[in-house]
Amino acid sequence: PMMIVENGLGAYDKKEEDGSVNDDYRIDYMRKHIAEMKKSVEEGVDCRGYLSWGPIDILSSRAQMKKRYGFVYVNRDNDDLKDMRRIKKKSFEWYKNVISSNGEVL
């Protein structure tokens, strides 16, 4: 048996002027990985689960916020904590749909 853990993408996410975060590259990356995992299961791999990386932006191993990893943007940068507001990225709703459909909607 196997379990996929900490699959995700670190990227330089940017807030748009309207406050949204469009991270289609993360959706594309994860969609492809989940599709391949599903294909492996269909071919007989005993995959018991899948976990994305962090659900919310966290400090990287170098204590930096330049690269973002989660489905939720934290409004801060390396030197300025700003208001620390949490903003759902586009990938948040996408992944929510993936989970609620048990991976049928990618």
Side-chain angles (χ1 to χ4, degrees):
M2 65 181 286
M3 177 178 256
I4 309 298
V5 297
E6 292 190 358
N7 178 246
L9 172 72
Y12 299 99
D13 297 336
K14 300 279 190 236
K15 249 186 352 176
E16 303 292 334
E17 287 186 28
D18 66 0
S20 66
V21 180
N22 183 354
D23 58 343
D24 286 330
Y25 39 84
R26 180 172 288 106
I27 293 169
D28 184 55
Y29 174 91
M30 294 188 74
R31 178 183 288 123
K32 288 175 181 174
H33 279 79
I34 294 170
E36 288 300 315
M37 179 185 63
K38 286 176 65 176
K39 187 169 139 185
S40 296
V41 169
E42 290 166 2
E43 294 174 358
V45 172
D46 185 7
C47 183
R48 306 270 174 105
Y50 173 88
L51 300 171
S52 68
W53 203 317
I56 189 169
D57 287 342
I58 57 173
L59 291 170
S60 71
S61 61
R62 297 184 188 266
Q64 295 184 3
M65 288 296 291
K66 289 179 185 177
K67 282 181 98 171
R68 308 287 179 143
Y69 299 91
F71 303 115
V72 178
Y73 184 93
V74 179
N75 192 36
R76 65 160 288 180
D77 60 28
N78 288 340
D79 303 313
D80 185 358
L81 295 180
K82 301 181 181 180
D83 61 7
M84 300 284 286
R85 189 167 55 103
R86 274 53 171 174
I87 302 164
K88 295 175 186 174
K89 300 176 188 178
K90 185 176 181 181
S91 61
F92 180 94
E93 292 301 326
W94 171 81
Y95 194 56
K96 181 179 164 183
N97 289 329
V98 170
I99 292 168
S100 67
S101 72
N102 197 26
E104 293 303 315
V105 177
L106 289 180

